[in-house]
Amino acid sequence: MKSLLSLLLPFLPLALSRAGKEYIEEDILNLRQKWAVEHPFGGISTFAHLQHVRCLVDPHEEFDIAILGAPFDTAVSYRPGARFGPRAIRAASARQSESRGFNVRAGINPYLSDVKILDCGDIPISPFDNELALRQMTEAYKELMSRSTPSGRRPIIVTLGGDHSIALAALRGVNSVYGPVSVVHFDAHLDTWYPTKYPSSWPTLQSAFTHGTMFHLAYNESLLLPTYNIHAGLRTRLSGADMSDYAGDDAQGWARISTDDIDDIGVAGIVKRIVDHVGKSKVYLSIDIDVLDPGIAPGTGTPEAGGWTTRELIRILRGIEGLDVVGVDVVEVAPAYDCAENTALAASQVVFEVLSSLAKKARATVKLEGEGEARDEL
Ligand SMILES: [Mn+2]
């Protein structure tokens, strides 16, 4: 007996043919000519209108640099809300694009350069279980760090936080490729605090993982190069009635630049201290937006008055662009406390400046390699 399907088969082409216009190549070109332009305020929000690929589930789309959201904020000590940081930074980056992306300060358009930058979307992170969240983030970073790139170099992940605790997972990812690295840390706070510095009569293993202890945990896991790490922009109050927090920081091998140092040694002096300190080591660049003054960047988890301006931070970042940066985060943007997108705008500009420096460095490397080949041929 014939099946119902075999009886219907002759009529299927008729059933599947659709009403409407057939498009030839010229039609497609016409459509593109009319509609391909995207206004800054239009389109689906990706960082700088970059191509969006969910890189964690699509391993075939290669990238040199990944913009990666880490929407996680259940390890904060004060204001929650940084889980909305990645989408706020993306929205605030809307005036950046391939067509209007030339960075005059840097002399390069990072979106039209030798590096392929994708917006890899967000890591899905549990908001209910921090042990699981850290495991998810760690696995995501290790996965993406293992990918091959169009340039043949190692991938660089630029994370949009999220609270600062995400840096522990990012450092584990970096460590899986490079071993221990230096950390250049822009922040009002130390973030090397011993977990016991957060007073609690109910200590648990899990409560040790916070946005103020992750570098201490990273030190314990030997993720940092001893003595090659440096904070910049510090102005936090310390625990108790002495400098013991600094002693703890010293013991973990960090140097410190305070916010006020900029008045004494200027941008150039700060740049020199950072560059002299980390030298040629591989660098993880961690930028807590609370390094900026809360008058400029109020939308953050633990604001501290009296910080740097965005211009000062950008000029310092420009000064250290020769460092061998292998991973980046811009964290602690909490848009619920923001006004007029100020904080997110500052963060998106900082990301733009870092991308410009990374693209510039890649161009210099290509040039050097090219010259090397030319020399080899002679
Ligand atoms: Mn921090």
Side-chain angles (χ1 to χ4, degrees):
M1 199 176 92
K2 284 188 171 181
S3 72
L4 182 64
L5 184 64
S6 60
L7 283 170
L8 288 173
L9 263 179
F11 305 101
L12 269 180
L14 194 64
L16 290 176
S17 77
R18 296 183 303 165
K21 190 172 165 183
E22 294 289 328
Y23 287 89
I24 61 171
E25 201 174 329
E26 197 184 343
D27 297 323
I28 302 292
L29 285 174
N30 271 334
L31 287 173
R32 286 193 182 146
Q33 178 136 35
K34 279 184 190 165
W35 308 117
V37 168
E38 197 165 73
H39 288 292
F41 46 83
I44 301 297
S45 189
T46 69
F47 191 87
H49 301 265
L50 288 165
Q51 182 190 348
H52 170 223
V53 177
R54 293 198 68 196
C55 301
L56 283 168
V57 291
D58 183 356
H60 301 298
E61 192 73 42
E62 290 189 334
F63 54 86
D64 293 304
I65 300 176
I67 302 288
L68 183 67
F72 174 74
D73 65 1
T74 45
V76 298
S77 56
Y78 195 54
R79 293 169 170 173
R83 73 180 63 178
F84 295 105
R87 50 164 73 181
I89 299 169
R90 286 189 176 101
S93 74
R95 290 180 63 247
Q96 299 177 36
S97 66
E98 190 179 290
S99 63
R100 188 64 75 87
F102 187 78
N103 186 334
V104 175
R105 288 170 169 138
I108 198 166
N109 179 340
Y111 308 124
L112 287 174
S113 69
D114 298 317
V115 290
K116 184 176 175 190
I117 313 174
L118 288 182
D119 188 328
C120 284
D122 293 342
I123 311 170
I125 309 168
S126 171
F128 305 122
D129 179 338
N130 281 4
E131 190 273 333
L132 172 61
L134 181 57
R135 196 147 48 91
Q136 289 170 322
M137 289 190 274
T138 300
E139 202 167 309
Y141 280 105
K142 285 184 178 171
E143 167 67 29
L144 294 182
M145 287 301 293
S146 74
R147 299 281 173 83
S148 55
T149 63
S151 67
R153 299 183 197 99
R154 290 292 193 169
I156 296 179
I157 300 173
V158 178
T159 306
L160 313 178
D163 76 48
H164 214 154
S165 67
I166 63 99
L168 176 60
L171 278 166
R172 287 174 175 175
V174 163
N175 187 268
S176 68
V177 173
Y178 297 103
V181 295
S182 296
V183 176
V184 175
H185 173 218
F186 290 90
D187 203 312
H189 309 94
L190 291 167
D191 294 1
T192 54
W193 273 288
Y194 292 81
T196 49
K197 292 284 184 176
Y198 289 91
S200 170
S201 310
W202 305 80
T204 65
L205 189 62
Q206 196 48 64
S207 61
F209 171 61
T210 76
H211 77 154
T213 58
M214 72 286 169
F215 288 138
H216 174 78
L217 300 177
Y219 168 80
N220 284 345
E221 293 182 21
S222 303
L223 305 179
L224 312 185
L225 277 174
T227 75
Y228 281 89
N229 310 294
I230 188 162
H231 308 285
L234 294 175
R235 59 186 180 283
T236 180
R237 289 167 303 284
L238 302 182
S239 318
D242 57 27
M243 306 284 268
S244 64
D245 286 356
Y246 279 0
D249 195 58
D250 289 339
Q252 296 169 62
W254 287 78
R256 291 179 294 276
I257 297 171
S258 78
T259 303
D260 295 348
D261 284 339
I262 205 166
D263 296 325
D264 301 325
I265 61 175
V267 165
I270 288 172
V271 165
K272 185 171 185 316
R273 271 168 69 178
I274 296 173
V275 171
D276 287 351
H277 193 77
V278 302
K280 293 189 186 311
S281 55
K282 306 278 184 209
V283 169
Y284 182 79
L285 180 59
S286 189
I287 304 169
D288 188 322
I289 207 68
D290 74 23
V291 75
L292 300 178
D293 189 89
I296 289 169
T300 193
T302 45
E304 305 286 356
W308 284 340
T309 64
T310 317
R311 186 189 69 251
E312 287 163 343
L313 175 61
I314 287 170
R315 291 197 65 203
I316 295 167
L317 290 171
R318 171 70 26 74
I320 64 169
E321 69 183 3
L323 298 181
D324 191 2
V325 172
V326 295
V328 183
D329 67 53
V330 179
V331 295
E332 296 284 348
V333 172
Y337 316 97
D338 208 2
C339 50
E341 282 190 304
N342 287 345
T343 315
L345 199 58
S348 71
Q349 185 69 27
V350 165
V351 171
F352 175 61
E353 298 294 342
V354 168
L355 291 174
S356 300
S357 293
L358 292 173
K360 208 168 151 185
K361 193 141 200 302
R363 184 175 66 183
T365 316
V366 166
K367 214 172 153 195
L368 277 175
E369 283 168 0
E371 282 169 3
E373 282 162 21
R375 273 199 300 274
D376 290 343
E377 281 167 16
L378 284 173

